[in-house]
Amino acid sequence: MASSNFVDYVKIYCRSGHGGAGSAHLRHEKMVEKGGPDGGDGGRGGHVIVKGNAQLWTLIHLKFARHVFAEDGEAGGRMRSFGKEGKDNYIEVPLGTVVKDADTEEIICEVTNDGEEYIICKGGRGGLGNTHFKTATYQTPRFAQPGEDGEERTAILELKVLADVGLVGFPNAGKSTLLSVVSAAKPEIADYPFTTLVPNLGIVKYRDDRSFCMADIPGIIEGAAEGKGLGLRFLRHIERNSILLFVVAADAEDVAEEYNVLCHELEKYNPELLDKQRVLAVSKLDLVDEEQRAKIAKNLPKDIPTVMFSSHTQQGLMELKDVLWKQMNG
C-alpha cells in the first residue's frame, strides 16, 4: 500500500569521523645526519551532512538507518605526508525536512532547497605533525598532536510537506476528491473518515501552462491540537504551505461554524498558522439545492475569499483555481 511507504519521522544516531593523528617521524636518510622532523598532519574526520533532494518525498529510505557514521581521517606519515581526509557521509532528505537534536529539541537545520547541505556532525580535525613544533632552540621534536574526536548526536528528522496550497478540513470534506480532479494525484477515496492517512501532493495545471502544488493533508477533528484523532502527527504538515484552503462540505450542519472550529484547532497548535493567507471552499455543491446554496452563501465569512464548487460536476473549479492563483501572486 502507498500509505505504508510514507514515513515522515525518523530518529538516527550520527557520529562524524575522528581526525587522524599527526606523525612524529624523524627523517632518516643515508648520508644525512640528524635529518630532523618530517612528520605530516593527520587527515580531517568525515562530516555527517544532510542534503536536500527534490526527487524524494518521504523518509522511508532512512526508516531502518539507525546509525550513520562518517569515516575517520588517516594518520600523517613521514616525509610530510598528510593523512587522507575521512569520507563524508551524506543523508539525503526530501525538501521540507527539519532536523532536530533529540536531547535538546533544538532545531539544527531546515532543508528547503534541492542540493542544500548542512553539516550536522563535524569531523574531528587532524593532528599536526612534529614539523610544526620545530623551533630554533628545539630542532628535533619527538611528538605530534593526536587527532580530535568526532562529534556524535541523536538527530530527529521530521518531514513537513512543502506545497503552495494545503487542504485543511474535517474527514470526508471532499479534499481528496478535489485533488484527484484538479491534478494527476490518485489519493485513496472512500465515504468514511480518515481515508487519507498520509499527505498527498498533486500538481494543479492552471492557465497558460502555469501550475502550482497542492497538498491534501489528512483530515483533522476537534481536539487535534491535543493529539486526538490523527492529531499532531499531521498538523505539522500544514505549517509549510503558503496558502491554507479550508474545505467544508455543503451538506454540513453549519458551514461557518465548521470553518471556525478548524481555525480554532490550528490556532491552538500554532497561532502563526492563522497569519497565512486563507481561502474557504464549500465542496459537494451538487448535494444541495439552490435555496440551500443561497443560505450557505449568506452566512459565509466576509473577511476571506470564498468559493463554492463541486468536484463531481466540476462546477466552480476554475473559479477556485483563479482565486488561489490570485492569492499566491497577488
Side-chain angles (χ1 to χ4, degrees), residues 116-191:
E116 193 173 21
E117 296 182 6
Y118 293 95
I119 297 173
I120 62 171
C121 283
K122 197 171 183 180
R125 288 186 299 181
L128 298 177
N130 61 351
T131 54
H132 292 275
F133 305 105
K134 179 180 177 181
T135 66
T137 57
Y138 191 24
Q139 293 287 313
T140 53
R142 288 177 165 80
F143 61 89
Q145 276 185 337
E148 287 186 355
D149 289 337
E151 297 177 345
E152 56 182 81
R153 72 182 346 150
T154 300
I156 292 173
L157 278 61
E158 283 184 352
L159 174 60
K160 297 180 181 181
V161 169
L162 283 170
D164 299 306
V165 178
L167 299 174
V168 183
F170 287 103
N172 256 20
K175 303 185 303 299
S176 297
T177 305
L178 171 62
L179 185 65
S180 69
V181 170
V182 299
S183 77
K186 300 300 177 192
E188 185 178 349
I189 300 170
D191 191 23

Side-chain angles (χ1 to χ4, degrees), residues 104-127:
T104 64
E105 291 289 313
E106 177 190 0
I107 293 178
I108 303 168
C109 63
E110 298 185 31
V111 183
T112 55
N113 297 305
D114 188 37
E116 193 173 21
E117 296 182 6
Y118 293 95
I119 297 173
I120 62 171
C121 283
K122 197 171 183 180
R125 288 186 299 181

Side-chain angles (χ1 to χ4, degrees), residues 81-103:
S81 175
F82 286 9
K84 183 180 177 182
E85 289 188 349
K87 187 178 180 182
D88 297 332
N89 197 335
Y90 285 85
I91 304 174
E92 295 203 339
V93 297
L95 308 188
T97 300
V98 177
V99 183
K100 297 179 181 177
D101 186 287
D103 298 320

Side-chain angles (χ1 to χ4, degrees), residues 6 120 151 156 166 178 193-194 224 234 250 254 279 282 302 307 316 320:
F6 185 84
I120 62 171
E151 297 177 345
I156 292 173
L178 171 62
F194 299 119
F234 295 116
D254 189 330
V279 174
V282 180
K302 302 293 188 279
V307 180
L320 177 59

Side-chain angles (χ1 to χ4, degrees), residues 173-174 247-251 255 281-294 296-297 300 307-317 319:
V247 181
V248 179
D251 58 352
V255 172
V282 180
S283 64
K284 303 183 181 181
L285 198 58
D286 53 299
L287 299 183
V288 295
D289 56 30
E290 290 294 336
E291 184 179 342
Q292 289 173 301
R293 293 181 190 183
I296 292 170
L300 290 178
V307 180
M308 301 176 75
F309 75 96
S310 167
S311 295
H312 290 290
T313 66
Q314 303 206 2
Q315 180 183 354
L317 288 183
E319 181 187 353

